[in-house]
Amino acid sequence: MASSIANIDETLLRTYIHGCHIMHHHQVVDAYGHLSIRISPTIFLMCRYMAPALVSSRDDLVLYSVDTGEALDSNAPRGFSERYIHSEVYKAYPGVQAVIHSHSLDVVPFSLVPSRPLKACIHMAGFLGTAVPVWDATASYYQQHPDAERSMLVNNTEMGASLATALSTADCYGLPQHAVALMRGHGYVCTGESIEMVVAKAIYTAHNARVQTTVNCLVGASSTTSSNTPDILYFDEREATDTGRTTIQGAAKPWPLWVAEVTKDSLYTMDL
Ligand SMILES: [Zn+2]
């Protein structure tokens, strides 16, 4: 398997760079956040420390060890301090082929109210299930490491491994029971079986959060004029499971549209 960016298939690199651009175009990331792709059981690829919208060439890409989260090339350009999110998810779930970390402002509010979990309420986001888990850096790490700087950044393997456990156990395919986990006051991690799939899941996670926020506003508005608070008809377990499966089967449909959008926008460049 390739241990150098120069040896990696150009089609895969194009898909990766398109994925970075699409995430930005759909506001999953701004200057922060990142996408990675597994290259082999022990190696993954992600861009260097830069805004995903500006990734354009092989020079922007770095190969990392799943085991350590460190670059294979000691002369590689600076990487993201939170690359351990990716390395530890790949380590814990051998079926995961792509990972996204996002700071989406649509999603972050649901990391702060334990009694109001993010849950599937649109058919394109059934993969979220009936309650998306929230990982709390303070409860899960800082309380055991009181001298650590509480930056909320997942900047070592121990924190990454702790976050990975929030996705629950691996199934028989090596995939986590939860495709997404929120990070308190920070963002979320999203997993998938391909770049196309993880980008789709990350986009529809944010869409779902917007709908859920809107419906909560509707309920709040109506409750000021009525003594009866209306029920919110979230998806049940079966609806979430079945719609989630359908989304996975249909993930290829939006990709050509999303690629066309970023290809026609001069902000995004491809130099392969
Ligand atoms: Zn982050």
Side-chain angles (χ1 to χ4, degrees):
M1 181 55 70
S3 58
S4 165
I5 292 292
N7 298 330
I8 295 180
D9 178 66
E10 183 175 314
T11 300
L12 179 64
L13 297 184
R14 283 185 173 276
T15 304
Y16 176 83
I17 293 173
H18 280 318
C20 290
H21 297 169
I22 291 166
M23 289 195 304
H24 179 263
H25 190 73
H26 287 264
Q27 300 180 322
V28 169
V29 299
D30 53 6
Y32 298 94
H34 19 83
L35 164 69
S36 69
I37 176 72
R38 187 195 291 272
I39 300 298
S40 76
T42 59
I43 298 172
F44 68 101
L45 176 153
M46 62 191 304
C47 67
R48 61 183 174 87
Y49 183 76
M50 66 186 301
L54 303 179
V55 176
S56 66
S57 75
R58 290 178 191 266
D59 291 342
D60 297 328
L61 306 177
V62 179
L63 293 176
Y64 290 97
S65 161
V66 168
D67 185 43
T68 64
E70 303 304 330
L72 301 188
D73 180 353
S74 59
N75 295 316
R78 176 186 177 186
F80 295 103
S81 65
E82 293 197 289
R83 57 189 181 273
Y84 306 100
I85 295 172
H86 302 256
S87 61
E88 293 300 319
V89 167
Y90 289 129
K91 191 184 299 180
Y93 305 100
V96 169
Q97 300 300 321
V99 175
I100 285 174
H101 170 51
S102 164
H103 296 170
S104 168
L105 298 182
D106 294 315
V107 176
V108 168
F110 292 95
S111 74
L112 298 168
V113 188
S115 62
R116 295 287 182 92
L118 184 67
K119 53 180 70 179
C121 48
I122 58 174
H123 75 289
M124 293 301 290
F127 58 84
L128 292 175
T130 55
V132 176
V134 178
W135 180 77
D136 182 345
T138 299
S140 301
Y141 182 80
Y142 293 136
Q143 288 180 354
Q144 292 79 51
H145 300 80
D147 295 331
E149 181 184 46
R150 300 195 175 195
S151 65
M152 309 302 276
L153 297 174
V154 180
N155 53 14
N156 63 58
T157 55
E158 187 176 346
M159 291 186 82
S162 175
L163 170 60
T165 64
L167 296 165
S168 194
T169 54
D171 66 14
C172 61
Y173 303 106
L175 296 169
Q177 292 182 25
H178 296 283
V180 176
L182 309 191
M183 301 156 70
R184 175 177 155 260
H186 184 161
Y188 64 99
V189 58
C190 182
T191 64
E193 299 91 319
S194 66
I195 292 173
E196 294 91 333
M197 194 66 243
V198 78
V199 169
K201 285 182 180 178
I203 289 173
Y204 288 114
T205 294
H207 287 193
N208 190 97
R210 276 180 239 163
V211 170
Q212 192 169 338
T213 297
T214 302
V215 80
N216 277 291
C217 289
L218 280 173
V219 170
S222 62
S223 67
T224 63
T225 57
S226 168
S227 59
N228 296 319
T229 301
D231 293 331
I232 300 176
L233 303 177
Y234 293 114
F235 287 3
D236 61 25
E237 290 277 1
R238 180 171 178 182
E239 290 168 338
T241 300
D242 288 357
T243 56
R245 188 181 306 117
T246 306
T247 305
I248 290 172
Q249 292 171 345
K253 181 179 180 183
W255 190 257
L257 168 65
W258 293 340
V259 169
E261 288 173 343
V262 297
T263 301
K264 294 178 186 302
D265 189 324
S266 61
L267 172 65
Y268 310 109
T269 60
M270 179 78 72
D271 185 21
L272 289 179

